[in-house]
Amino acid sequence: MKVEGFIASLRNAETIGDLFDILSKKGPIVELDGQRFFIVIEGDFEGRKFWTEINGEKANQALGDAMLNSSSFPFKCRRPYTGGNAIFVKFDDIEVEKFLVAYRDPEYGVFYIVENGEAKEITGEEYENLKIEMPEFKIKSMSEEQMDMMGAFFG
């Protein structure tokens, strides 16, 4: 599958339930253009926020500087005032063998445990119980040299 095809599938959502259904069918680890990515989404569906959690923490905080090194694609759904960003994190940059992922909104969630590169859907209760025993989520971020180049660029 190509990145464009994945984004197009998100655009087909007519309800937030459709969006979560699409995400549950794809899972958090997707192969696109021959490379594996961890998919993070965040946005707003007709005023209802949705986001991704990693080990119980919002993904943008868990990923930190690595967000700068990831590809982000905005998307809109079929309904007005809906959309967000799909962030593609290179799976090879993740430095832990085991972590939890949740795609959430204030009332609903789709939960996964990722072990040795494979994602398995779990219940919300399992997610809550496993959060406390997960190792710290670590991901390669930009090197010092890359950060210096960014600093020089943004001055």
Side-chain angles (χ1 to χ4, degrees):
M1 177 189 297
K2 294 198 170 288
V3 171
E4 297 81 10
F6 182 85
I7 297 297
S9 69
L10 296 177
R11 289 185 181 131
N12 288 328
E14 291 193 35
T15 66
I16 198 157
D18 288 347
L19 182 66
F20 282 119
D21 190 47
I22 291 164
L23 289 167
S24 74
K25 286 179 180 149
K26 305 274 185 210
I29 310 299
V30 178
E31 187 166 320
L32 303 168
D33 295 327
Q35 192 167 14
R36 290 169 43 106
F37 291 94
F38 167 44
I39 305 299
V40 173
I41 61 152
E42 56 190 17
D44 189 301
F45 208 103
E46 295 181 325
R48 192 168 162 183
K49 300 270 187 221
F50 58 87
W51 62 90
T52 303
E53 289 180 2
I54 302 168
N55 294 341
E57 186 177 10
K58 284 200 175 181
N60 57 356
Q61 293 170 338
L63 292 172
D65 291 341
M67 290 282 279
L68 299 171
N69 220 9
S70 303
S71 303
S72 178
F73 294 88
F75 67 91
K76 288 193 179 290
C77 299
R78 289 187 176 198
R79 311 278 302 175
Y81 312 112
T82 65
N85 284 308
I87 299 148
F88 297 83
V89 179
K90 288 181 186 167
F91 192 77
D92 291 343
D93 288 349
I94 297 172
E95 297 179 336
V96 293
E97 294 291 318
K98 185 176 181 179
F99 61 97
L100 299 173
V101 177
Y103 297 119
R104 302 193 84 155
D105 77 356
E107 298 169 22
Y108 183 74
V110 181
F111 307 93
Y112 297 91
I113 185 166
V114 177
E115 276 187 279
N116 301 317
E118 298 298 319
K120 179 181 137 202
E121 195 166 343
I122 59 175
T123 67
E125 187 177 324
E126 289 173 306
Y127 175 81
E128 293 300 324
N129 292 335
L130 288 169
K131 280 193 308 193
I132 56 173
E133 55 186 74
M134 283 296 117
E136 180 184 350
F137 185 79
K138 291 184 180 176
I139 186 161
K140 293 178 196 168
S141 59
M142 290 186 167
S143 68
E144 290 295 320
E145 184 178 310
Q146 288 172 308
M147 292 297 268
D148 288 344
M149 287 173 52
M150 291 283 288
F153 181 74
F154 290 112

